[in-house]
Amino acid sequence: MLGKPLRIVSVLMLLALVAMAQTIPAGSAITVRLASEISSGTAKAGDRFDATLAHSLVVNGKTLAKAGAPARGKVTSAKSSGRLHAPGELALRLTSVQVNGKMVPISTRSHFAKGKSHTKSNATKIGGGAAAGALIGGLLGGGKGAGIGALAGGGAGTGVAAATGKEEAVIPAEAALTFTTSAAATVK
């Protein structure tokens, strides 16, 4: 006899708990500000980073977390720059955000960052070195000296490009990054 009322009360309590739980739907945009700089030259996959919400997290007209609430993420990929080619690359994901004083796990798509291309900078250094070498060689040794000077200057320009050529991907502290949730997250 008590079984049926007990089941009804249990179902009603379960429905009340579900109603209290909020959901951050898949496809929600969450913008955060980084607490510190992240560089492809020093970061490693798996490194954690701290951030704060740049804007309040609002779902269906209800504010779940206010701007300034803590958030966390991780570096999912980091590739350091080469000297003459292959600029640095970073991939980051947001992993949690604080709602009602509790860190809520979330899943987001990656945010990608890539360093500047080496091409223009290297061409300028190598070409400039070759031109300067040709000019000096031509003044000192005529046509043959210009050829030798161009080769020597090009080699020197290549050395300068190799010594100064790293183009890391860098995301500065306080940068605002927007992540998009890839799955719904339940807030309890």
Side-chain angles (χ1 to χ4, degrees), residues 15-113:
L15 288 174
L17 286 173
V18 169
M20 287 188 334
Q22 296 289 325
T23 300
I24 302 170
S28 297
I30 301 174
T31 302
V32 298
R33 291 202 180 278
L34 295 182
S36 59
E37 177 181 279
I38 302 173
S39 169
S40 61
T42 57
K44 297 179 292 302
D47 285 355
R48 304 277 177 195
F49 66 88
D50 292 320
T52 56
L53 289 180
H55 309 287
S56 295
L57 177 57
V58 179
V59 176
N60 297 326
K62 183 176 180 186
T63 301
L64 298 182
K66 292 186 178 186
R72 293 192 186 114
K74 72 176 179 177
V75 176
T76 55
S77 173
K79 182 181 146 215
S80 186
S81 173
R83 293 252 179 227
L84 295 173
H85 59 77
E89 297 177 355
L90 282 170
L92 313 173
R93 285 188 182 205
L94 206 56
T95 58
S96 61
V97 63
Q98 189 178 76
V99 177
N100 298 326
K102 295 179 182 176
M103 292 306 283
V104 175
I106 59 172
S107 178
T108 67
R109 294 186 183 104
S110 292
H111 174 85
F112 295 99

Side-chain angles (χ1 to χ4, degrees), residues 10 18 57 79 126 134 166 188:
S10 296
V18 169
L57 177 57
K79 182 181 146 215
I126 295 167
K166 284 192 167 247
K188 295 180 185 177

